[in-house]
Amino acid sequence: MKRTPWLAGLAAAVAATAITGCSANPGNDAAATPAAPKLAVVATTPEVADFLRNIGGDAVDVTQIIKPNVDPHDYEPTPADLQAISKAKLVVKNGVGLEEWLDRTIESAGFSGTVVDSSQGVTLREGGHEHEEGEEEHAEEAGEEEHDPHIWHDPRNAKIMVQNIEKALTTADPAQASTFAGNVSAYTAELDKLDADNEAAFKAVTNRKLVTNHDAFGYYIARYDLEFVGSVIPSMDTSAELSAKQLNDLIAKIKQTGTKAIFAESSLPPKTAEAIAQQAGVKVVAGEDALFGDSLGEPGSPEGTYLGAERHNTQVIVEALAG
């Protein structure tokens, strides 16, 4: 990876901030009865942060590293990120290699708490639907087994993720165990409803062929019995590009299979998808209807939560395929 020198600079900035903070006068608040401190938790992705807020409630103070519509695959942490990590008791990540930048960042921040991998126990998909030329061979030579990190797109996996989060929060703050247990029970019921609603929505859909901006919906496709035709970016991350042959093959496959649309994603520019759609003679679903592949919507919007973003995705896909 290419990102090592800047971490030293960020670590120095964090140290300088800490020294400055130590010299501040705390004031005379001895007469006030301090409220129970909230558990300081850092979440890497919008999805994980939303899970934490739902399970932790008022007992946790969540700092979300990756903001909405920011690509998590190639993220570069900021001094504020290191500062938050250095003060946290827990860092909760998606896992499955999504946050390649995290280990180096934690080391530079001097983090001494617990790292929670919310993917533990999830059955992983091996690889993506398609790969860049030579990508599989490179992974094999490196002794790595590539798995799809977009696990949250199957609500059953989201249930496992929130259970992992509940266990970690309970271990860190046992006094709040009953609160966390009640929250995870209520939220699990919402995840079950999301899953059932998604299944019901696809029952009447006969054309189930899907072309997306990148290969981020493998768990969703498998869960709801859709057919993956291809992706504009031929990879599970967003760094790859279509070769001329892959571009022509994708256009031909779209035409041959009767695919109706290409779905853009909120965190990726739609230009290439629009160009392919024009050549293939199909519509591109973009703008406000873009899917949430790697991100959630803006805070405060209906799509700013995991449940809202997934409902949005299902509604957009069903309407486009049925239409």
Side-chain angles (χ1 to χ4, degrees), residues 57-209:
D58 294 335
V60 299
D61 183 11
V62 179
T63 299
Q64 177 181 321
I65 297 293
I66 299 175
K67 302 303 185 282
N69 296 322
V70 173
D71 184 358
H73 295 280
D74 198 29
Y75 184 73
E76 294 194 359
T78 67
D81 296 334
L82 270 79
Q83 187 72 12
I85 289 172
S86 70
K87 295 179 178 180
K89 189 163 185 179
L90 298 177
V91 171
V92 185
K93 65 179 181 177
N94 178 84
V96 204
L98 183 67
E99 305 97 334
E100 293 184 1
W101 45 270
L102 184 60
D103 288 345
R104 298 185 305 277
T105 305
I106 284 174
E107 182 179 355
S108 296
F111 176 67
S112 59
T114 302
V115 178
V116 181
D117 184 346
S118 65
S119 72
Q120 290 297 309
V122 172
T123 300
L124 303 177
R125 295 180 60 249
E126 292 187 10
H129 288 101
E130 55 186 341
H131 299 266
E132 277 190 287
E133 186 176 350
E135 187 176 337
E136 283 187 337
E137 290 80 357
H138 181 271
E140 289 175 3
E141 288 173 4
E144 300 171 354
E145 186 177 21
E146 186 181 26
H147 292 101
D148 185 348
H150 305 88
I151 55 177
W152 64 89
H153 285 305
D154 184 336
R156 299 173 302 179
N157 293 342
K159 287 172 62 176
I160 296 173
M161 296 172 78
V162 298
Q163 288 162 5
N164 288 332
I165 288 170
E166 183 221 353
K167 290 175 185 175
L169 292 178
T170 299
T171 299
D173 191 356
Q176 297 289 341
S178 61
T179 297
F180 300 146
N183 290 344
V184 80
S185 178
Y187 193 68
T188 295
E190 294 192 71
L191 293 174
D192 286 336
K193 184 178 186 305
L194 171 68
D195 192 27
D197 289 347
N198 286 350
E199 277 196 296
F202 280 109
K203 279 187 177 178
V205 178
T206 55
N207 187 332
R208 293 170 170 251
K209 299 175 177 64

